[in-house]
Amino acid sequence: ETIDACQPGRELQATLRPYQIEGVRWLWFMTELGLGGCLADDMGLGKTIQVIDLLLLRKRQAASGLALGVCLPNAKRQAPGPSLLVVPASLIGNWRQELARFAPSLKVFFAHRSECSAEKLSEIAKHPAPTLAEFDLVVTTYGLVRRQSWLEKVRWPLAILDEAQAIKNAGSTQTRAVKKLPTSCRLVLTGTPVENHLGDLWSLFDFCCPGLLGTAPQFKQYVKRLNQRQDAEAFASLRRLVRPYILRR
């Protein structure tokens, strides 16, 4: 019931569809409680615009110092500083266009060589938190997270991964670098939370909801036991466990 008081779309330069309003409210509710989540809507349903409106909600909330008129018993006061968005390099231009089109009021810094100079990145690396404090959002790429250690020196209030299947390989250098980002709340966006096997799901949740699915060896043994069962409901317990943290339409 508390989600109904959240009003998506007020600052967005677009009209949200009803299911997108529901998605924004869900994202806001999860982040208010300090929980992680996975927005797993199919391609073309507007994951990008839902996240952009969430960022507008958070900016309004930070400016007012209020919880958007909603009193959640376990809600955390929003920490100062910009949110972090990590995307594949090929999507930098798309995010730039969408942010400029739908949320021109957001102050965005693109931490990538295609958008700023090497000198600017070096300058930020010296004092990242105070230098970036004026922005609402920092957008960077998976490759930059792997190579720019200064990203680990900022306590990000919210970290969002687009095309989060990029961290499905839990043992890769890229995945380990992303999971070292210090952040109060984590969201992942992917239309394919399971691409090849359930290990993909574990790696995503190890980022957005650390500990929920146990350690990698524990989860592997758990899945092995489920595979040994022959009934159709073998994986029902896993579905029940992750369902509150996944929104998929």
Side-chain angles (χ1 to χ4, degrees), residues 7-17 20-21 24 46-57 60 95 97-106:
Q7 299 178 346
R10 281 176 52 179
E11 289 88 10
L12 189 74
Q13 302 299 303
T15 300
L16 293 169
R17 296 188 173 101
Q20 293 171 334
I21 292 174
V24 174
K47 293 189 287 292
T48 299
I49 201 169
Q50 291 175 69
V51 167
I52 290 174
D53 197 47
L54 170 68
L55 295 168
L56 288 168
L57 278 170
R60 188 201 326 158
W95 272 97
Q97 293 172 4
E98 300 285 88
L99 286 161
R101 177 184 177 188
F102 297 123
S105 62
L106 288 177

Side-chain angles (χ1 to χ4, degrees), residues 53-178:
D53 197 47
L54 170 68
L55 295 168
L56 288 168
L57 278 170
R58 289 175 62 85
K59 180 174 182 174
R60 188 201 326 158
Q61 182 174 332
S64 66
L66 302 173
L68 301 180
V70 181
C71 183
L72 298 177
N74 297 318
K76 297 181 179 180
R77 179 171 290 275
Q78 186 172 317
S83 299
L84 178 68
L85 172 65
V86 184
V87 306
S90 60
L91 294 184
I92 281 275
N94 180 69
W95 272 97
R96 184 184 64 251
Q97 293 172 4
E98 300 285 88
L99 286 161
R101 177 184 177 188
F102 297 123
S105 62
L106 288 177
K107 295 189 67 176
V108 184
F109 177 73
F110 288 87
H112 191 259
R113 285 293 303 277
S114 66
E115 303 290 333
C116 70
S117 65
E119 292 76 16
K120 182 64 175 178
L121 285 175
S122 297
E123 178 186 332
I124 288 174
K126 296 175 184 175
H127 305 287
T131 307
L132 296 171
E134 64 177 295
F135 293 98
D136 302 307
L137 176 67
V138 173
V139 182
T140 192
T141 65
Y142 290 98
L144 261 291
V145 173
R146 189 174 67 246
R147 297 192 299 271
Q148 298 282 334
S149 60
W150 63 265
L151 288 159
E152 298 176 22
K153 299 176 182 176
V154 180
R155 180 73 187 184
W156 306 98
L158 172 63
I160 305 163
L161 306 185
D162 190 18
E163 299 292 344
Q165 60 271 21
I167 64 163
K168 68 180 181 180
N169 181 355
S172 72
T173 303
Q174 177 169 280
T175 300
R176 292 198 301 269
V178 168

Side-chain angles (χ1 to χ4, degrees), residues 15-52:
T15 300
L16 293 169
R17 296 188 173 101
Y19 74 88
Q20 293 171 334
I21 292 174
E22 176 189 355
V24 174
R25 284 176 169 162
W26 182 79
L27 291 169
W28 171 80
F29 185 72
M30 298 299 278
T31 56
E32 275 295 284
L33 293 179
L35 300 173
C38 173
L39 181 59
D41 285 350
D42 279 343
M43 182 183 300
L45 294 184
K47 293 189 287 292
T48 299
I49 201 169
Q50 291 175 69
V51 167
I52 290 174

